[in-house]
Amino acid sequence: MRSVISIILLFAFSSAFAQEQAPKLDTGDTAWMIVATAFVMLMTLPGLAISYGGMAKRKDTLNTIAMSFVSYCLVSILWIIYGYSLTFGQDVAGLIGSPSKVFLNGVDVKSLQGTIPEFIFAMFQLTFGAITVALISGSFVERMKFSAWLLFVFLWFSLVYVPVAHWVWGNGFWAKLGALDFAGGTVVHINAGIAGLVGALVLGRRKEKTLIPNNLPMVVIGAGLLWFGWFGFNAGSAVASNELAAIAFLNTNTATAIAALSWMFAEWLHAKKPTVLGLASGAIAGLVAITPAAGFVNVLGAIVIGFLSGIASYFMVAVVKHKFGYDDALDVFGIHGIAGMLGAILTGIFADPSVNPAGKGLIYGNSAQVLIQLLAVGITIIYDAVMTFLILVVIKGLVGLRVSPEEEIVGLDKSQHGESSYNLG
């Protein structure tokens, strides 16, 4: 009898423990993640769109904005059809997710991802894919056919973004290796930067390759919206309204502010003038660099990362780019690629286990983390560069990549869309 009672009590205890451990919806986390998702969407539309549009020539403003706009639209559909499943579905050999959730199959209003509805988690991750593809357009502006861009978005998102995102966030080999990327330094920024560089080399130089923003206030407003939206990007990657989101929020602002200043002073010393475009560019460099580290480092780490990213990105844009002569029109590689690499590697140095037990860097006794970060960054660069090149070769064979010289001189607003950005009197 005693043994029977013991079994009953054990069963009751086990059932109660299982219920306690079962995922449970948290309305506070859910509310925060809805807001964070809207923040990240704002980064693409209108943040990136008007920032890039303001930097392009007046005759190419609308086309530049349209590239970001259509990227968001296309990725929104592709993500639902197969992107979410292949990124976050059950891992297959460390390389890709299973197709079990195509068209969000099996996801309903009661499905949870941690403490939030899975629908919200899927939507949050969608916005990351959209801005990654849109970022690349900055390297291609003023010379790429709109039809070629549509094909590029489809192919690059499917063959580059989705696999790399799975490697890092979908329990792929990156995650199993122990590499750290809190909010997308590699998935988003190194990916976009390398694709932008390869595309700029394949497309070749523009006929008029100067960068004189047609509307600098638009650029600054766009950069401000990106800064604002980035709080959702980084703090939202905690996927909860908690202390990790709080430190990611603070680190994001700190690194961004000091990067804007370090770029400004570097430019002031080198070019003798502190430009407003430089301030905005430095802020973006800081946002990029702190992205992989936001939920792993303390505030001192954020300061160092921000300071170095502003200087490194300025040097790449103002010196190296001009020395080698490649036409990365809006400096996607110089800012996103370089700051993304720097941030990913420095995460391996400054990751503080008292901030996040999941990360322990070099200065806290784990020298191997730097090597892991370097390996993961290197693999991503090689895969991205090779795949981007092949994708561009295929598109060139199908529809061609560049507009004609005459269309480029007229401007892509007229030649690709039959419209004009500024219809003044």
Side-chain angles (χ1 to χ4, degrees):
M1 183 66 179
R2 186 178 297 172
S3 61
V4 173
I5 293 172
S6 298
I7 292 170
I8 292 171
L9 289 173
L10 179 62
F11 178 79
F13 176 80
S14 299
S15 299
F17 182 78
Q19 282 186 340
E20 185 180 339
Q21 293 298 107
K24 184 179 179 182
L25 179 73
D26 185 292
T27 55
D29 291 346
T30 300
W32 161 236
M33 291 308 297
I34 290 172
V35 171
T37 300
F39 277 20
V40 185
M41 185 272 179
L42 184 85
M43 291 172 67
T44 305
L45 297 174
L48 186 71
I50 65 171
S51 182
Y52 275 6
M55 280 192 279
K57 295 180 180 65
R58 184 170 64 177
K59 62 186 179 181
D60 300 305
T61 302
L62 275 182
N63 175 258
T64 302
I65 291 172
M67 292 173 86
S68 289
F69 201 114
V70 79
S71 298
Y72 187 87
C73 295
L74 275 174
V75 171
S76 292
I77 303 304
L78 298 176
W79 186 253
I80 299 302
I81 297 172
Y82 59 83
Y84 179 68
S85 184
L86 297 182
T87 303
F88 291 99
Q90 185 174 356
D91 178 59
V92 178
L95 299 176
I96 199 69
S98 76
S100 59
K101 292 187 177 182
V102 294
F103 287 98
L104 298 187
N105 176 56
V107 181
D108 59 34
V109 293
K110 295 186 181 296
S111 301
L112 295 181
Q113 180 72 31
T115 59
I116 68 171
E118 191 169 2
F119 282 137
I120 296 300
F121 179 76
M123 182 64 196
F124 179 67
Q125 295 296 338
L126 180 160
T127 60
F128 279 65
I131 194 164
T132 304
V133 180
L135 283 169
I136 301 168
S137 68
S139 294
F140 301 172
V141 297
E142 302 182 353
R143 61 207 191 273
M144 191 177 202
K145 289 182 178 180
F146 195 63
S147 58
W149 174 246
L150 295 177
L151 272 173
F152 180 85
V153 171
F154 167 63
L155 292 172
W156 193 89
F157 169 78
S158 305
L159 300 176
V160 180
Y161 180 81
V162 167
V164 175
H166 175 77
W167 299 348
V168 179
W169 295 326
N171 199 33
F173 79 88
W174 238 78
K176 293 170 183 174
L177 183 66
L180 305 176
D181 187 354
F182 188 74
T186 303
V187 179
V188 177
H189 300 291
I190 295 177
N191 244 353
I194 294 299
L197 176 62
V198 172
L201 294 172
V202 172
L203 279 164
R205 300 181 186 180
R206 292 164 293 163
K207 299 297 180 184
E208 304 167 1
K209 62 186 183 73
T210 55
L211 175 60
I212 302 176
N214 82 89
N215 193 323
L216 195 50
M218 270 177 63
V219 177
V220 176
I221 292 169
L225 289 170
L226 283 166
W227 190 336
F228 175 82
W230 227 290
F231 293 133
F233 198 84
N234 286 357
S237 292
V239 199
S241 179
N242 59 17
E243 64 277 3
L244 198 56
I247 187 66
F249 201 114
L250 179 63
N251 282 340
T252 299
N253 192 71
T254 303
T256 304
I258 196 165
L261 294 173
S262 67
W263 179 303
M264 181 189 76
F265 284 115
E267 184 179 38
W268 207 337
L269 288 170
H270 178 254
K272 310 307 179 187
K273 295 286 185 181
T275 67
V276 177
L277 179 61
L279 264 175
S281 300
I284 302 302
L287 289 164
V288 171
I290 197 60
T291 292
F296 290 116
V297 303
N298 57 38
V299 176
L300 179 60
I303 290 172
V304 175
I305 289 170
F307 178 77
L308 293 176
S309 65
I311 294 172
S313 292
Y314 173 75
F315 179 76
M316 181 59 61
V317 169
V319 179
V320 176
K321 174 184 169 181
H322 292 289
K323 181 177 180 179
F324 287 95
Y326 61 90
D327 190 12
D328 177 7
L330 305 185
D331 296 313
V332 179
F333 176 71
I335 295 176
H336 295 272
I338 294 302
M341 293 178 210
L342 182 69
I345 295 165
L346 292 179
T347 301
I349 296 174
F350 291 102
D352 181 351
S354 70
V355 171
N356 189 336
K360 184 178 181 181
L362 173 66
I363 64 174
Y364 296 94
N366 182 18
S367 58
Q369 192 63 54
V370 179
L371 298 176
I372 291 171
Q373 296 299 107
L374 286 167
L375 178 62
V377 168
I379 291 171
T380 304
I381 289 171
I382 293 168
Y383 177 78
D384 187 1
V386 171
M387 290 303 298
T388 301
F389 176 77
L390 293 175
I391 287 167
L392 289 167
V393 169
V394 169
I395 295 171
K396 185 175 183 179
L398 292 174
V399 298
L401 290 173
R402 288 190 67 143
V403 298
S404 69
E406 295 76 20
E407 289 174 320
E408 186 176 340
I409 291 169
V410 168
L412 274 65
D413 289 2
K414 285 287 187 183
S415 68
Q416 301 296 293
H417 306 286
E419 297 174 293
S420 177
S421 302
Y422 302 97
N423 295 300
L424 303 176

